[in-house]
Amino acid sequence: MSRRKRTRLVHEGDYVAEVDVELLEEPGGWSPYLSLEDAYRIDEVREALRRGDVKGAARHSRVFSLTPVAV
């Protein structure tokens, strides 16, 4: 089994969070895939952003505020 570090983006409302995860690859089967812990971490970040809890989301990720650009 090999592991690769990647960053997943979670977008909710006016925020985007970068969550560092490891992709697991195995010969055959459904790879690459996330570990259960990484999947739960992404879900926790998404739920925290939905609630507006930026501090809670920042415990597991890097959080950025999105600003619309007027054209």
Side-chain angles (χ1 to χ4, degrees), residues 1-70:
M1 178 185 328
S2 67
R3 297 171 183 250
R4 294 183 297 160
K5 292 192 182 255
R6 293 288 185 250
T7 301
R8 291 289 181 230
L9 297 177
V10 177
H11 175 231
E12 283 295 330
D14 291 337
Y15 297 102
V16 149
E18 291 182 342
V19 183
D20 293 327
V21 297
E22 279 189 344
L23 293 179
L24 307 172
E25 291 189 58
E26 292 181 348
W30 295 83
S31 67
Y33 59 91
L34 295 171
S35 70
L36 192 56
E37 294 82 21
D38 285 342
Y40 282 144
R41 188 167 355 119
I42 289 172
D43 286 344
E44 287 177 26
V45 169
R46 182 175 288 116
E47 288 300 318
L49 291 177
R50 282 184 184 160
R51 291 190 310 268
D53 182 13
V54 176
K55 200 178 253 190
R59 276 185 269 161
H60 302 290
S61 63
R62 291 172 300 284
V63 179
F64 299 91
S65 175
L66 298 176
T67 306
V69 177

